[in-house]
Amino acid sequence: MLRCFLTSLFLLVGATSTSAQSVGSDLISLEDRYATEGWEAVGRLDIGTFGQFCTATLIRDQLLLTAAHCVYNEAGDLRASNTMTFRAALRNGRAEATRDIIRVVPHPNFVPEDEGISRKNIATDIAVLELAQAIRLSSVQPFPISSRPRRGDEVAIVSYGMNRPEAPSLQKSCNILGRVEGTVVTNCDTEPGSSGSPVFKVENGRTAIVSVVSAGAPDNPTPITYGTSLQEPLRVLLAEFAARGPARPGGTQRLMLSGERNDTGARFVKVGE
């Protein structure tokens, strides 16, 4: 089902996106503090004890955004929060901050499946994770959420990957090929482990998240990545999060849109394979 859906998406956006050029593999490894400057809120989300991981991003000082399928095991059960650890800007064994996870809330409409994900699930493949302790460092600034991207927009991805787990990699320039039924399609280059990675766009000089990597099509001759079109799904998800109780003493987390002041300053293989 997933392969057919991905092929259909590729044909749909390909037919209307002939001006978008494949950038190939041009990942830049961010292996020192200078290279990661500005990207420190992206980190590796370690899962369990067998080397499994996804990528996650700080969107509030105590709240992460990642892919929903990352927080389920191969049996389709939600993973316990105490099996996960977030390492902000992890590079060669050192992180800007390391935090345990105390709460995991996937999108209420996401349904884990044994094989791949459905069209509906790609559009809801996001989860928020609450940190045991807020990260309030001048070097680690949460990212805002942007409005929906348009076809042809230039974007960037920061991600960890199966073949590059010890440091994040930056793809500085790839493009939005289109949006199909709540799914953002790009020609960005990703691999297993990149699930949950933020897709960034620069707006008015400020970097904001426009999508989260859900799935990829590694068999295609050109890179294709699929992610969630964030704004409405994330509003629903944060409402679900808030309904389960305060995210931290004295209040709840809310979605921060691009342009607001920050007061703190893919699916490729199933997780577990």
Side-chain angles (χ1 to χ4, degrees), residues 21-40:
Q21 300 296 314
S22 171
V23 297
S25 180
D26 58 352
L27 298 175
I28 301 169
S29 183
L30 308 178
E31 295 185 359
D32 56 49
R33 189 164 188 172
Y34 175 79
T36 57
E37 186 174 355
W39 305 111
E40 294 93 342

Side-chain angles (χ1 to χ4, degrees), residues 133-204:
Q133 181 182 4
I135 298 177
R136 297 191 179 101
L137 300 172
S138 60
S139 61
V140 184
Q141 295 296 305
F143 283 102
I145 306 300
S146 175
S147 58
R148 290 183 296 178
R150 297 183 296 273
R151 180 166 60 89
D153 282 352
E154 185 176 37
V155 292
I157 288 184
V158 176
S159 64
Y160 292 80
M162 180 177 64
N163 296 312
R164 42 186 175 79
E166 297 303 322
S169 294
L170 167 66
Q171 184 170 6
K172 295 176 64 176
S173 180
C174 44
N175 297 95
I176 300 293
L177 301 181
R179 297 201 314 267
V180 182
E181 298 184 357
T183 300
V184 174
V185 189
T186 80
N187 61 359
C188 302
D189 191 6
T190 49
E191 65 178 11
S194 300
S195 293
S197 297
V199 180
F200 292 112
K201 179 184 173 185
V202 177
E203 293 184 329
N204 300 318

Side-chain angles (χ1 to χ4, degrees), residues 234-258:
L234 187 52
R235 289 185 189 278
V236 171
L237 174 56
L238 290 179
E240 175 75 9
F241 183 86
R244 299 188 185 191
R248 57 185 180 185
T252 59
Q253 300 283 1
R254 69 180 183 86
L255 174 61
M256 183 173 64
L257 300 178
S258 178

